[in-house]
Amino acid sequence: GWHLDMPDGRTMARTPLPEWSATRRIPVAFTTDLGVLSWHPSGQDYSIRWYFGADGGFQRWYANLEAPAITWRDAGLAGLDTVDWDLDVKISPDRGWEGKDEDEFAARLALPHAYWVDDEERVRRAGKDVIALVEAGVFPFDGTWCDFRPDPAWQPIPPRLPEGWD
């Protein structure tokens, strides 16, 4: 996959938020030992990720609280744009859950001139919506796609982003 980092190589975690918000970032490729299937339900304030171990076995779900995804297609390229809201929910296979990044979210809310989240209640409501689905054991937390395997014919992510990615 790809992350955006500062031109000097600093990650978001190592950069003061006002500087991060004011600086154009550059794409940096990364790899992970985990397999990831990501679902972005239309119009929802979250995406859900299924994480798989090196053996292909399901490990956990992850709810990323974010602006509804906007898909686009142009000149042979396609993409999905969203804005991460930092607060997340980690969900174990037995549907136990825990919030993630509460301290970071609170600290960033204290910097409204630099932070892109302008509706704290909307973010918290998205988390409550996900937790309600988890606790009810309904899709996407009902075991669906936990046996997902990618098509072996799929190509790996290219080593460089194509022109127009941004």
Side-chain angles (χ1 to χ4, degrees):
W2 297 91
H3 283 266
L4 294 176
D5 288 347
M6 296 296 285
D8 63 7
R10 285 178 296 152
T11 63
M12 184 177 195
R14 293 180 40 225
T15 307
L17 188 62
E19 182 182 356
W20 180 265
S21 296
T23 305
R24 183 171 173 84
R25 291 163 306 278
I26 59 169
V28 177
F30 76 93
T31 59
T32 178
D33 292 335
L34 298 175
V36 181
L37 174 64
S38 186
W39 175 59
H40 295 259
S42 188
Q44 296 298 319
D45 289 339
Y46 56 81
S47 65
I48 305 299
R49 297 173 187 161
W50 285 251
Y51 283 96
F52 302 89
D55 65 354
F58 175 70
Q59 289 194 338
R60 68 180 177 278
W61 293 279
Y62 188 93
N64 199 62
L65 307 185
E66 59 191 40
I70 298 170
T71 57
W72 56 268
R73 185 175 301 276
D74 180 43
L77 295 177
L80 183 141
D81 293 338
T82 187
V83 176
D84 189 347
W85 290 338
D86 297 315
L87 206 54
D88 303 306
V89 183
K90 297 188 316 187
I91 305 105
S92 63
D94 67 0
R95 291 196 307 272
W97 61 268
E98 66 178 288
K100 182 175 177 289
D101 299 328
E102 178 66 43
D103 292 343
E104 181 177 293
F105 183 64
R108 289 181 176 173
L109 285 169
L111 301 169
H113 62 285
Y115 195 35
W116 45 90
V117 171
D118 61 0
D119 189 344
E120 177 183 0
E121 286 309 308
R122 180 178 178 183
V123 176
R124 294 193 182 284
R125 191 169 45 255
K128 289 175 185 174
D129 290 349
V130 167
I131 291 165
L133 295 172
V134 170
E135 291 179 345
V138 299
F139 183 82
F141 306 106
D142 62 354
T144 301
W145 297 340
C146 290
D147 60 353
F148 174 80
R149 298 297 181 272
D151 184 329
W154 289 353
Q155 297 296 309
I157 293 176
R160 289 192 318 272
L161 287 171
E163 288 295 319
W165 70 269
D166 59 349

